[in-house]
Amino acid sequence: MDFFTAPPAHDREPEEERVLPPWLGPSDTVLGRTVDISRTLFHSEALAIVLTSAVAFPEGVKLHVRIVARPVEGVNKDTWWERRDLMFERSHSRFRPGKALEDEILRFGVRFSDGGKATTVDGRPRYDGEWPPPPPDGPVLQQHSGGGGSGSDRLISLRWSLWLWPLPPAEPFEVAVEWPAFDVPLTFTEIDGAAIAAAAEHARPYWP
């Protein structure tokens, strides 16, 4: 007789499947269409922030950002590693509504021609137990899944993935970045919304 045996199976009611609403992320059953953007959002001797590409979906667009830093003359090794730790640990720091943003928090945003905007520090859309939750009043921009990075004594590289809902109109819009702790002032870069909108038309489901 075996000493260790598996517990008996329990009869469980099947859980209700919850489909992620589009303002929280793209559908995992749809293959988005990639758009090569390669726009520099900020550049200095020590730091570069580049919007490398976008993946367009019918409901929105995922924006891929690469952040790369290097030591420059006058920065000693201790300062360099302190900066590395700040980039990895504090750039994603949580913030409290109604409180001033810490300088270490990396901020991204978008601004449209009609004056509408969304930022990564607006906070996630909230709901009170209702499912599906009601859609937000305005556009949403938030850090999405994926990303990561690496660091050494000569280079730091971070990857961010942002989800913008809804799909921006087929006209130019601006991407904003600001990072006070790393001397990045509020900077706007124009993006071709028409290319993203056209790519979204070619997104397709994995199964019909």
Side-chain angles (χ1 to χ4, degrees), residues 115-140:
K117 71 170 188 174
T119 79
T120 52
V121 296
D122 291 339
R124 292 174 63 89
R126 301 181 63 181
Y127 65 95
D128 299 320
E130 180 183 354
W131 195 268
D137 293 333
V140 173

Side-chain angles (χ1 to χ4, degrees), residues 25-175:
S27 170
D28 55 10
T29 63
V30 175
L31 176 63
R33 176 62 66 94
T34 299
V35 183
D36 181 17
I37 296 180
S38 299
R39 296 299 307 276
T40 298
L41 305 180
F42 174 81
H43 184 272
S44 70
E45 287 298 314
L47 183 71
I49 304 176
V50 180
L51 178 60
T52 60
S53 63
V55 182
F57 295 82
E59 303 88 356
V61 59
K62 186 185 293 187
L63 304 173
H64 295 293
V65 178
R66 177 66 61 89
I67 303 122
V68 181
R70 66 175 183 175
V72 294
E73 185 177 353
V75 174
N76 61 43
K77 183 173 293 186
D78 289 340
T79 301
W80 168 252
W81 284 101
E82 288 175 2
R83 168 167 280 208
R84 175 202 178 276
D85 291 342
L86 282 175
M87 289 183 70
F88 278 98
E89 296 173 9
R90 299 296 298 280
S91 62
H92 300 72
S93 294
R94 295 183 179 275
F95 48 88
R96 292 180 295 175
K99 301 294 183 179
L101 294 174
E102 297 180 358
D103 288 347
E104 291 82 5
I105 295 176
L106 173 58
R107 312 100 187 258
F108 289 101
V110 294
R111 184 168 66 181
F112 304 105
S113 60
D114 64 358
K117 71 170 188 174
T119 79
T120 52
V121 296
D122 291 339
R124 292 174 63 89
R126 301 181 63 181
Y127 65 95
D128 299 320
E130 180 183 354
W131 195 268
D137 293 333
V140 173
L141 180 71
Q142 59 185 345
Q143 185 181 356
H144 198 248
S145 59
S150 60
S152 68
D153 58 359
R154 65 177 188 85
L155 197 72
I156 299 171
S157 178
L158 297 177
R159 295 184 299 274
W160 275 53
S161 177
L162 308 172
W163 173 246
L164 173 60
W165 174 90
L167 188 72
E171 59 186 34
F173 67 96
E174 294 175 306
V175 172

